[in-house]
Amino acid sequence: MPHDLKPGDVALMGVPLDLHSSFLQGPAFAPGRIREALHSGAANLTAEDGTDLGATERFRDTGDLDVFEMRGQEPIDRIEAEAAKRIATGARLLSLGGDHSVAYPLIKAHAEKYERLNILHIDSHPDLYDEQDIGPLGHGCPFARVMENCPIKRLVQVGIRTMNAHQREQADKFGVQVIDMRNWSPDLQISFDGPVYLSLDLDALDPAFAPGVSHHEPGGLSTREVINLIHRFEGQLVGADIVELNPHRDPYGMTAMVAAKFVKEIGARLMTR
Ligand code: MN
Ligand code: MN
């Protein structure tokens, strides 16, 4: 068993890969920056519900995958295999991207372990492109690949504010439930029946809260609203990723600290419910 993981553990895993980014590189350096923020000493490791990730043996860092130099399909296959190994132990996986292309192999591994998997996808972009200039593995495509290749019960997208005609067609074709920013309400209650995978793209937040991303898209969620979403949706959270931090655009490491906050809140929820 890798890293001696046990059932109920939460396994942190860094995925330093950004070769599928369409606009800027940088997210490959995110896992290290998020860990630095988490362990900077500026804050403790206690989540808001009182779960102290620093005081439990169950919160385990399994390091970064060796995907940085890989090209094409190879890193995608490696990510899926390494995710599958970790969750086969009964541990729950919290992955730090990387650009959003890493979500496809991560979700594929979870969909093979958990039947009738639901996905909560928080993002300013629907990421449903059939193909981008950089190919079908582009970071604007992962949820098209997921819906084509994985037995997903329900995909719910929150924070969306860049829906174009092609992606609208794709959303209709795959039966995606899109809650766009125009229709956002802080009282929104999302309920899932069964296991849930959470994929959190930091550009869902307004750039005022999270400037360290490649694609600034104004009009987004606040940090508090995303934390409330993490706390309040109904369903069994079984795995998650936090993607698209671009340290090259992150003054004072502000966005890395936002990501570290989400690590604590998601980590606590993965551990307790
Ligand atoms: Mn995305
Ligand atoms: Mn995005």
Side-chain angles (χ1 to χ4, degrees):
M1 270 183 214
H3 312 283
D4 291 324
L5 291 170
K6 295 179 186 66
D9 285 354
V10 172
L12 206 61
M13 180 175 87
V15 189
L17 185 75
D18 61 13
L19 84 146
H20 301 112
S21 293
S22 59
F23 180 54
L24 297 173
Q25 310 311 126
F29 301 99
R33 292 292 175 273
I34 299 171
R35 282 195 192 87
E36 271 175 31
L38 194 61
H39 300 294
S40 65
N44 63 34
L45 286 169
T46 307
E48 293 183 359
D49 72 350
T51 305
D52 186 352
L53 299 181
T56 172
E57 298 277 292
R58 291 172 55 209
F59 183 67
R60 310 280 300 279
D61 192 342
T62 64
D64 284 355
L65 301 185
D66 60 344
V67 293
F68 186 77
E69 307 271 322
M70 291 181 182
R71 295 293 175 265
Q73 183 68 31
E74 194 186 7
I76 298 297
D77 293 342
R78 176 65 61 88
I79 294 163
E80 185 186 346
E82 292 293 329
K85 258 196 248 174
R86 284 162 178 76
I87 62 180
T89 65
R92 290 180 176 163
L93 190 59
L94 174 48
S95 302
L96 307 177
D99 69 37
H100 218 155
S101 69
V102 306
Y104 167 44
L106 291 170
I107 292 170
K108 196 153 178 268
H110 282 82
E112 266 159 42
K113 178 168 171 73
Y114 298 98
E115 271 177 42
R116 300 167 60 76
L117 184 69
N118 299 282
I119 302 170
L120 176 57
H121 169 204
I122 306 176
D123 201 328
S124 71
H125 310 99
D127 291 349
L128 287 166
Y129 282 106
D130 183 47
E131 182 146 13
Q132 293 182 285
D133 293 342
I134 46 171
L137 294 175
H139 70 157
C141 306
F143 292 91
R145 300 293 86 78
V146 163
M147 297 311 276
E148 288 161 355
N149 298 303
C150 307
I152 297 302
K153 184 178 174 197
R154 192 168 156 225
L155 168 57
V156 179
Q157 300 185 323
V158 180
I160 307 301
R161 51 195 186 274
T162 58
M163 185 67 86
N164 59 10
H166 166 68
Q167 294 193 93
R168 181 75 259 167
E169 265 173 45
Q170 293 276 88
D172 292 344
K173 178 172 115 185
F174 297 125
V176 182
Q177 186 184 341
V178 182
I179 301 165
D180 53 29
M181 276 314 287
R182 273 186 321 160
N183 298 310
W184 163 258
S185 147
D187 307 324
L188 184 74
Q189 183 57 49
I190 307 175
S191 300
F192 294 100
D193 180 16
V196 182
Y197 183 92
L198 169 64
S199 190
L200 173 51
D201 182 329
L202 293 169
D203 68 31
L205 284 89
D206 192 277
F209 295 92
V213 296
S214 298
H215 301 263
H216 290 156
E217 190 62 44
L221 297 162
S222 71
T223 307
R224 188 70 242 168
E225 286 169 333
V226 173
I227 292 168
N228 289 348
L229 268 170
I230 293 166
H231 288 170
R232 292 177 188 174
F233 74 84
E234 282 176 34
Q236 174 73 69
L237 184 64
V238 295
D241 60 63
I242 302 170
V243 296
E244 295 285 348
L245 170 66
N246 187 338
H248 300 335
R249 309 187 93 190
D250 190 20
Y252 313 114
M254 288 161 61
T255 313
M257 193 50 109
V258 171
K261 175 80 174 171
F262 295 153
V263 167
K264 291 192 283 188
E265 298 310 317
I266 294 170
R269 181 152 184 180
L270 282 168
M271 203 163 282
T272 53
R273 280 183 281 174

